[in-house]
Amino acid sequence: MKPAEQRIDRLLDAVAARQGQEPTQPIVGAARQRLVVSLQRTPRRGARRSAAFAALAVACLAAGVILWLARGVGRPLRFEVGGATVSVGDWLAAPTDRNLPVRFSNGASVLLRPGARGRVSAVRASGATVEVEHGGMAIVVPHAPGTDWTFLAGPFAVQVIGTRFDLAWDATTGVFEMEVMDGNVQVRGPLAGSRQHVVGGQSVRLTAANASAQPRAIVATAPELPAALESASAPTLPNSAPIPTTMRAEATDWRGLAKAAHYREAIALAEAAGFDNVVAGSDAADLLLLGDASRYAGNVTRARQCYAALRRSFGGSAQAALALFRLGVLDFPSPNAVASFEQFLRERPGDALAPEALGRILEVQQRSGNTAAARATAERYLSQYPKGAHATLAHSVLGQ
Amino acid sequence: MSHRPAPNASASTLRVVEDSGVIDNDDGELVRAAIGGDRSAAHRLYDKHAPRVAMTLRRTLGSDHDVADLLHDAFLVVLERLDTLENPALFRFWVTRIAVFQARRLIRKRARHRWLRLVSGEDPVQEPVTHPPSDDVDEALRATYELLESIPEDERIAFVLRRLDGMGVGEIAVVCGVSLSTAKRRIGRAEELFRAGVPKHPVLKEWLEGATA
């Protein structure tokens, strides 16, 4: 290499090194804070805040209004569940470990929390009626002229124009809870005259006996990034629903389906081929994939079988170590999870999942009241990951 | 560079990237978990990748000005569209590509504004540098970006990603949405322009003459 080229290399190395000296943490932190706010404010995709985009959005809105007027008001909204179209009145059941998103053609969305059941019992051009049989839902209804949405939860009815709120109905205890993030809603209870408005920033907790309880301010909590992410949850169908055509992968083996995130179909194929045989004939990567697909499909037993086989047959591999982490996740928040996470940390101390493993150990110990162990883990966590996702919990455990 | 950053690279480019060992299958796990509603997974994706993306933006732009904005915008797009990512293990490239694309747009915008100011007779606005000039290296940093501004943005970005950010050519191809040969051509062209420009710049000239270590 010529001396001039060497000097240019040295120049560029010096520039790169100087740029690397300055910490990015303040930038990353600032962006993170703004991201939290943005995700809460802009649940729809593609929201941008540049003036040009705002102008475009206004133009599109105007065009949309014209189209809406042109096509008439008699056309009911369409909706889909996890990417599949289902019929009005079909019962929907969210799996116990995952959300189930219901998306409407006007941009509204209803996210059934894990274990929740409900159905869209009516659709109109101006909105829909959603019945909540049991469980929680996160609801986003874009505001538009003439919007009319109703959510029925036991004896309670929520009238919505445009808003974002969480709703929970416990059919066993008869408790109705709601947190309104934006906009305002009207709640009608079973008692005569029990009607009240709840506005953004307020929550209510009602039973049939105290249906007129006054709204209270939502207790501020630390913002979390993925609040809006939940509107983009993976497609998941209720167990009772047929597998829609749109969710069929082109792949014809379980691996292709699993990689395409069609977990239930992947597991169904593996079962058809003889699950035990598939496990016995799989290498480490396939065992991890099959275990993960089982876990995402909600089949914990099969997931454990895969991870155990992976540990047994491919001990010492990276996949076997990851299987430990997955086993810990399956056991979480039971104290049984600690052993798996600890072993994972011994085998993969520098893994990207190591902070999460240690954080989850801390959570288990804190939840189970094992104060001494939790304090020790909190100190260990803060010494290794002072800015980690569990740092706040660790400080809390230490009383800081 | 494509206007729609797509996370799926061509097969040949992807093979090069896979061979480089920078595809992170843990990202696939985190993405799937985040899509499935795991709140901590999205936290981890941000915490894991944001520092690296911020550094890439700093180097692409030459200053910290606007980096937080672009970082915010890139992750906003990514987190809202996670379920469209066909290969979750490519998350890192997806978010980097979106960030670099936005940086490119900003570089173009700045260039247009500079041109308009020159036409209107206004003084061009100096972009702030990462550090106030205080020593030879800071001065060299400022001068390097002065020279880079004279290089077309596609070549400039490829050059910066290669020479300052340390990316492999395969990564650059994926991030810039071009073929391997195009990425190599851009880097080569930028190298030529940069080398030709160094002797003409009063500060960089000293480095070339060996007066500055």
Side-chain angles (χ1 to χ4, degrees), chain A residues 39-194:
Chain A
L39 286 171
Q40 288 170 345
R41 284 182 180 169
T42 57
R44 284 174 298 172
R45 288 177 179 174
R48 306 294 293 271
R49 294 185 299 169
S50 69
F53 192 90
L56 180 62
V58 170
C60 289
L61 183 63
V65 169
I66 291 168
L67 286 173
W68 180 73
L69 290 172
R71 74 177 187 179
V73 294
R75 199 168 180 176
L77 297 177
R78 287 169 286 108
F79 68 100
E80 59 182 28
V81 180
T85 302
V86 298
S87 301
V88 172
D90 283 353
W91 282 102
L92 309 171
T96 54
D97 60 343
R98 303 180 68 175
N99 296 316
L100 179 66
V102 182
R103 296 191 175 93
F104 291 82
S105 52
N106 70 336
S109 66
V110 176
L111 190 74
L112 276 68
R113 300 288 190 194
R117 285 177 57 87
R119 64 177 174 173
V120 180
S121 56
V123 287
R124 301 172 287 280
S126 55
T129 299
V130 178
E131 293 179 24
V132 186
E133 183 190 58
H134 183 80
M137 296 185 182
I139 296 144
V140 177
V141 176
H143 178 73
T147 301
D148 173 24
W149 288 73
T150 303
F151 293 84
L152 304 173
F156 298 96
V158 182
Q159 294 285 346
V160 174
I161 293 174
T163 184
R164 191 163 64 92
F165 66 102
D166 283 355
L167 176 159
W169 164 243
D170 189 329
T172 309
T173 60
V175 174
F176 170 91
E177 293 179 285
M178 186 170 65
E179 280 191 9
V180 179
M181 272 65 85
D182 293 323
N184 68 83
V185 302
Q186 186 184 70
V187 185
R188 282 184 284 117
L191 304 180
S194 62

Side-chain angles (χ1 to χ4, degrees), chain B residues 1-6 13 60 93 96-98 100-101 104 153-162 167-179 182-183 186-187:
Chain B
M1 190 177 289
S2 166
H3 280 257
R4 293 194 59 189
T13 306
T60 304
F93 298 101
T96 307
R97 179 172 176 170
I98 289 172
V100 168
F101 173 78
R104 175 179 178 267
E153 64 263 15
D154 286 339
E155 282 75 10
R156 165 185 170 174
I157 288 170
F159 177 82
V160 165
L161 294 178
R162 179 73 180 142
M167 280 191 193
V169 179
E171 289 179 75
I172 294 169
V174 173
V175 165
C176 294
V178 296
S179 66
T182 300
R186 286 182 180 177
I187 295 167

Side-chain angles (χ1 to χ4, degrees), chain A residues 87-391:
Chain A
S87 301
V88 172
D90 283 353
W91 282 102
L92 309 171
T96 54
D97 60 343
R98 303 180 68 175
N99 296 316
L100 179 66
V102 182
R103 296 191 175 93
F104 291 82
S105 52
N106 70 336
S109 66
V110 176
L111 190 74
L112 276 68
R113 300 288 190 194
R117 285 177 57 87
R119 64 177 174 173
V120 180
S121 56
V123 287
R124 301 172 287 280
S126 55
T129 299
V130 178
E131 293 179 24
V132 186
E133 183 190 58
H134 183 80
M137 296 185 182
I139 296 144
V140 177
V141 176
H143 178 73
T147 301
D148 173 24
W149 288 73
T150 303
F151 293 84
L152 304 173
F156 298 96
V158 182
Q159 294 285 346
V160 174
I161 293 174
T163 184
R164 191 163 64 92
F165 66 102
D166 283 355
L167 176 159
W169 164 243
D170 189 329
T172 309
T173 60
V175 174
F176 170 91
E177 293 179 285
M178 186 170 65
E179 280 191 9
V180 179
M181 272 65 85
D182 293 323
N184 68 83
V185 302
Q186 186 184 70
V187 185
R188 282 184 284 117
L191 304 180
S194 62
R195 174 183 301 224
Q196 59 186 279
H197 285 279
V198 186
V199 301
Q202 290 185 328
S203 67
V204 291
R205 185 175 189 277
L206 304 171
T207 64
N210 76 339
S212 58
Q214 291 303 302
R216 57 188 169 78
I218 296 172
V219 177
T221 54
E224 287 184 294
L225 261 184
L229 254 188
E230 293 178 1
S231 63
S233 294
T236 310
L237 285 176
N239 292 331
S240 57
I243 296 173
T245 319
T246 52
M247 289 189 67
R248 285 190 196 125
E250 291 178 3
T252 54
D253 71 335
W254 69 263
R255 292 175 193 81
L257 290 166
K259 287 176 179 173
H262 298 167
Y263 306 117
R264 287 178 56 204
E265 293 170 274
I267 300 311
L269 269 188
E271 292 285 4
F275 201 91
D276 292 347
N277 292 335
V278 171
V279 168
S282 292
D283 61 15
D286 278 353
L287 278 175
L288 191 63
L289 180 65
L290 188 58
D292 290 350
S294 302
R295 187 157 59 94
Y296 293 135
N299 193 331
V300 174
T301 305
R302 288 304 195 195
R304 284 187 191 282
Q305 179 184 352
C306 295
Y307 298 144
L310 183 46
R311 295 291 302 166
R312 208 168 40 242
S313 304
F314 300 96
S317 68
Q319 289 91 347
L322 286 173
L324 273 174
F325 182 87
R326 311 289 208 273
L327 286 166
V329 170
L330 287 176
D331 284 331
F332 185 84
S334 156
N336 294 337
V338 172
S340 297
F341 286 133
E342 286 286 13
Q343 183 61 29
F344 170 76
L345 289 170
R346 279 192 287 275
E347 293 185 15
R348 303 267 292 182
D351 193 279
L353 292 170
E356 180 65 13
L358 190 55
R360 293 221 185 191
I361 291 171
L362 176 59
E363 279 191 62
V364 169
Q365 291 166 337
Q366 190 252 353
R367 287 189 195 192
S368 62
N370 191 345
T371 310
R375 287 185 65 84
T377 303
E379 287 175 352
R380 183 176 154 201
Y381 185 91
L382 289 173
S383 71
Q384 294 183 46
Y385 315 110
K387 305 284 187 187
H390 287 81

